[in-house]
């Protein structure tokens, strides 16, 4: 990479604004956020709807297996996008509170309605919907809220280059390399929250390295990590595609050749995971590299500012909530989208493509007429303001809004 090109990338990184309003959003990241949500929604549909039992023909099985690999890669991308901006900003209690309130405003009413009108809403789904912190399938929100709380500490660590490099390398070995090669997806007895923190540190380190915030002679740790930084967008995209395709073809080989011949190969995997899906978990080396290279490709790309893209990017969190509320699973696929009526159709990929479009449309309407007005009212309440001031003083520096 030439010197002028390096300076261009560095200058672009320096110009990324810290504001998060719609007018200041970078359309590159919003487009990537939308793509990540498409991967998550389509992958969840493929694995949760029972579509595989309806398909006719190997080509349709291959198509749905292809899109089923995306959800955990999409999660890695979401964390990297958030970390890119959070690693340069102070803690804001309002961000965390709005995140959980939005989750609560959607989960609780829909869960109650689901209990009243759907036949298969049990006690577990009811509890998970009313208390959305209680885990799967909305585990991502809980982990992300914990990441926001840990943000000030992680940002402090990022100010020390050697400490950051050693934390990243240690985490990659323990949480990524060892589980990848030992077929034990247990995050080395840690959890998804630690993996999110590792991605946060790596993304913040990447941003500071591109911006030139770490002057002086590089350590061997820094030289090693620099090998993960791909500054040419085209090469980064090709590497990301190669990782995804390798996961796809390996999964086909395992499903149609290896496991039929040696079914005992999946017996030792934690939680009964299928070997064909094992390496797409978000901390597995191939999935991690796929997400990292795609993210770096976006960093090296130019996308014209688009209000429409930025607007859709803001709806991705609502889309995530709507399609993963416990009370709606699997009814959202079987009853609302009526998978069984068209699963065996030759046009099933076309109908599948309409699902994320329908979810985005629902998110736009519901946010406009329900969530946004209610959040605006709640934000002006005395309880909200007191909770915001307390949380801001506990986790970070009080901002002007909280102090007022």
């Amino acid at each position: 990479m030439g010197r002028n090109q390096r300076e261009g990338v560095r200058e672009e990184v320096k110009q990324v604004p810290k504001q998060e309003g719609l007018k200041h959003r970078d359309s590159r990241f919003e487009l990537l956020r939308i793509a990540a949500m498409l991967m998550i929604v389509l992958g969840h549909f493929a694995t949760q709807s029972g579509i595989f039992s309806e398909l006719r023909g190997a080509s349709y099985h291959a198509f749905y297996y292809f899109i089923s690999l995306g959800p955990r890669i999409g999660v890695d991308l979401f964390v990297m996008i958030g970390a890119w901006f959070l690693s340069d900003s102070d803690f804001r209690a309002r961000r965390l509170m709005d995140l959980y309130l939005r989750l609560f405003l959607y989960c609780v009413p829909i869960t109650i309605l689901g209990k009243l009108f759907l036949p298969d809403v049990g006690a577990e789904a009811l509890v998970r919907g009313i208390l959305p912190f209680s885990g799967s399938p909305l585990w991502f929100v809980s982990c992300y809220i914990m990441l926001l709380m840990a943000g000030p500490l992680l940002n402090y660590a990022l100010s020390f280059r050697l400490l950051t490099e050693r934390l990243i390398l240690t985490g990659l070995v323990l949480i990524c390399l060892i589980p990848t090669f030992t077929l034990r997806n247990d995050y080395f007895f840690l959890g998804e929250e630690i993996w999110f923190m590792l991605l946060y540190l790596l993304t913040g380190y990447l941003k500071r390295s591109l911006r030139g915030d770490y002057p002086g002679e590089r350590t061997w740790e820094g030289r090693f990590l620099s090998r993960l930084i791909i500054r040419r967008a085209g090469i980064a995209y090709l590497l990301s595609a190669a990782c995804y395709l390798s996961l796809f073809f390996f999964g086909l080989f395992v499903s149609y050749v290896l496991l039929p011949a040696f079914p005992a190969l999946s017996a030792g995997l934690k939680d009964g995971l299928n070997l064909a899906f094992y390496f797409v978990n978000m901390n597995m080396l191939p999935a991690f590299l796929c997400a990292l290279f795609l993210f770096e490709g976006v960093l090296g790309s130019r996308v014209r500012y688009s209000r429409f893209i930025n607007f859709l990017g803001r709806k991705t969190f609502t889309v995530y909530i709507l399609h993963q509320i416990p009370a709606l699973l699997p009814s959202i696929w079987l009853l609302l989208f009526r998978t069984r009526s068209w699963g065996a159709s030759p046009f099933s990929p076309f109908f599948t493509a309409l699902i994320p479009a329908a979810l985005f449309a629902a998110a736009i309407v519901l946010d406009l007429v329900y969530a946004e007005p209610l959040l605006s009212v709640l934000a002006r309440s005395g309880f909200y303001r007191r909770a915001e001031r307390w949380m801001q003083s506990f986790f970070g520096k009080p901002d002007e809004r909280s102090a007022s």
Side-chain angles (χ1 to χ4, degrees):
M1 186 177 191
R3 180 177 178 181
N4 292 337
Q5 196 171 359
R6 286 196 301 270
E7 292 297 326
V9 172
R10 185 175 298 172
E11 191 63 30
E12 283 190 13
V13 174
K14 286 182 178 180
Q15 292 175 358
V16 173
K18 293 185 179 181
Q19 295 94 331
E20 294 189 349
L22 182 60
K23 294 181 180 180
H24 301 284
R25 286 177 176 254
D26 189 327
S27 296
R28 293 177 303 168
F29 296 103
E30 297 308 313
L31 189 59
L32 181 60
R33 201 190 304 269
I34 295 168
M37 183 51 62
L38 291 176
M39 295 171 69
I40 291 172
V41 170
L42 292 174
H44 282 161
F45 169 75
T47 56
Q48 296 173 355
S49 66
I51 187 71
F52 282 102
S53 63
E54 305 291 334
L55 298 175
R56 301 292 184 269
S59 60
Y60 292 98
H61 278 270
F63 170 77
Y64 282 97
Y65 177 70
F66 183 84
I67 66 174
S68 71
L69 304 178
R72 295 307 175 98
I73 297 172
V75 168
D76 280 349
L77 289 170
F78 260 97
V79 176
M80 291 178 185
I81 295 168
W84 181 263
F85 297 101
L86 293 171
S87 62
D88 255 352
S89 63
D90 295 328
F91 176 85
R92 289 179 57 228
R94 174 161 293 196
R95 180 189 293 120
L96 189 153
M97 293 178 63
D98 287 353
L99 188 71
Y100 184 72
L101 278 176
R102 188 179 297 272
L103 175 67
F104 188 85
L105 289 176
Y106 279 112
C107 273
V108 174
I110 293 178
T111 296
I112 294 173
L113 290 174
K115 182 63 177 176
L116 293 175
F117 297 105
L118 294 176
D120 299 324
V121 179
E124 183 180 1
L126 187 64
V127 171
R128 287 180 174 179
I130 295 178
L131 301 173
F133 271 135
S134 58
S136 177
L138 290 167
W139 63 270
F140 172 80
V141 183
S142 301
C143 293
Y144 198 78
I145 287 176
M146 292 186 67
L147 183 68
L148 292 177
M149 294 178 179
L153 179 61
L154 296 173
N155 289 345
Y156 180 74
L158 282 166
S159 61
F160 301 95
R161 183 179 70 177
L162 183 58
L163 172 64
T164 302
E165 291 168 347
R166 290 180 174 176
L167 286 174
I168 293 171
L169 287 176
T170 301
L172 287 177
V173 170
L174 294 180
I175 314 174
C176 180
L177 292 179
I178 291 178
T180 298
F181 293 105
T182 59
L183 300 182
R184 297 293 297 174
N185 187 33
D186 50 15
Y187 300 91
F188 205 74
F189 307 105
L190 300 171
E192 290 91 345
E193 300 87 351
I194 303 300
W195 175 248
F196 280 21
M197 292 179 192
L198 176 60
L199 290 179
Y200 188 109
L201 288 174
L202 179 63
T203 306
Y205 179 84
L206 171 65
K207 186 174 186 178
R208 283 161 171 75
S209 297
L210 291 173
R211 198 168 53 193
D213 288 358
Y214 293 136
E217 185 178 354
R218 281 183 176 176
T219 61
W220 71 266
E221 295 94 339
R223 288 193 295 270
F224 179 84
L225 288 175
S226 68
R227 303 299 180 187
L228 295 176
I229 302 176
I230 309 298
R231 290 181 171 87
R232 290 185 181 273
I235 295 177
Y237 286 133
L238 285 174
L239 289 173
S240 179
C243 290
Y244 199 98
L245 289 174
S246 67
L247 287 168
F248 173 65
F249 287 113
F250 174 79
L252 291 181
F253 172 75
V254 169
S255 298
Y256 292 102
V257 179
L258 201 59
L259 287 183
F262 306 99
L265 285 176
S266 286
L269 294 185
K270 187 176 183 292
D271 298 328
L273 291 172
N274 190 318
L275 188 61
F277 289 94
Y278 178 78
F279 294 102
V280 300
N281 281 289
M282 57 190 176
N283 64 312
M284 296 295 105
L285 184 62
F288 160 66
L289 291 178
C290 180
L292 176 64
F293 293 144
L294 181 55
F295 183 79
E296 291 177 338
V298 169
L299 289 182
S301 301
R302 293 182 180 271
V303 175
R304 293 185 62 181
Y305 174 83
S306 169
R307 290 185 62 86
F308 178 71
I309 290 175
N310 294 357
F311 175 74
L312 282 185
R314 295 179 63 193
K315 304 305 173 185
T316 52
F317 183 66
T318 302
V319 170
Y320 166 75
I321 297 173
L322 289 178
H323 87 287
Q324 287 296 280
I325 294 175
L328 295 185
L329 295 176
S331 298
I332 188 172
W333 312 122
L334 301 180
L335 299 180
L336 182 60
F337 291 111
R338 304 186 66 82
T339 305
R340 289 172 180 164
S341 66
W342 51 264
S345 167
F347 300 104
S348 59
F350 170 75
F351 291 123
T352 299
L354 296 178
I355 290 175
L359 287 170
F360 268 98
I364 291 171
V365 173
L366 289 173
D367 271 358
L368 180 65
V369 303
Y370 169 63
E372 296 292 351
L374 201 50
L375 282 171
S376 179
V377 172
L378 291 173
R380 293 194 294 269
S381 67
F383 175 79
Y384 183 100
R385 291 175 180 273
R386 287 192 295 272
E388 183 185 8
R389 283 196 295 269
W390 176 85
M391 194 174 295
Q392 188 69 41
S393 64
F394 187 85
F395 289 104
K397 296 179 292 186
D399 57 19
E400 295 179 359
R401 182 174 56 216
S402 296
S404 61

